[in-house]
Amino acid sequence: AMVVMLPLLRIGVQAIGVAYLLWLAFKLSHSSSLAQASKSQLNISFWQGVTLQFLNIKAWMLALTVVAGWLAGHADAAARFAIILPLMLAFGLVSNLIYALIGSLLRDWLSGPDNSGTRLRWFNRCMATVLVLTAVWMTTF
């Protein structure tokens, strides 16, 4: 029974993921304004920011991959950990800074001198197309 359930579970999770991406693409393709965060939403403490990182699924997947592939089962796991920890900290810092910089520059560009919102609408449509292509790609495996 378990052998039959796993393909059904995979198909179910895949279908939900594809439906969610298509819904996001639809919403994005019809969006023509930049979201504005209120000052109260931006006022978070250092510890709230640290706690938020524990909800980042991409970080968990990266950590699990590194542990499973490079640390677990190796006799020199402590030495490997001493190597990988500063590398992962540097990677996290640099990638978050680059992400924030690109986001800031992109927001400025999208809300720039084009007051009609044409630039933003085309950007959103391009991003929606990427989501649709990702959803289509997900159905191939």
Side-chain angles (χ1 to χ4, degrees):
M2 183 59 118
V3 174
V4 174
M5 288 298 293
L6 291 178
L8 291 176
L9 179 62
R10 182 187 65 79
I11 291 169
V13 169
Q14 185 179 40
I16 291 170
V18 167
Y20 180 64
L21 287 178
L22 293 175
W23 177 78
L24 283 176
F26 175 79
K27 297 292 280 184
L28 185 58
S29 69
H30 289 82
S31 174
S32 60
S33 65
L34 288 171
Q36 295 294 327
S38 69
K39 293 288 184 193
S40 64
Q41 290 174 317
L42 296 175
N43 189 18
I44 63 169
S45 72
F46 173 79
W47 291 111
Q48 287 172 322
V50 169
T51 303
L52 181 63
Q53 294 308 305
F54 286 97
L55 301 175
N56 185 343
I57 190 67
K58 297 178 298 294
W60 279 106
M61 296 309 295
L62 177 61
L64 289 172
T65 301
V66 168
V67 169
W70 212 68
L71 296 176
H74 292 276
D76 61 342
R80 287 171 171 249
F81 182 72
I83 293 169
I84 200 68
L85 180 62
L87 288 174
M88 295 307 293
L89 288 172
F91 171 76
L93 177 66
V94 170
S95 63
N96 279 314
L97 287 174
I98 290 171
Y99 181 80
L101 176 64
I102 290 172
S104 176
L105 294 173
L106 192 56
R107 176 175 279 281
D108 290 344
W109 181 73
L110 290 173
S111 63
D114 176 20
N115 292 332
S116 67
T118 303
R119 190 182 292 173
L120 177 62
R121 276 193 300 280
W122 278 107
F123 178 80
N124 285 345
R125 289 174 185 157
C126 288
M127 293 298 104
T129 301
V130 170
L131 285 174
V132 170
L133 292 173
T134 301
V136 169
W137 172 73
M138 285 176 58
T139 64
T140 63
F141 56 92

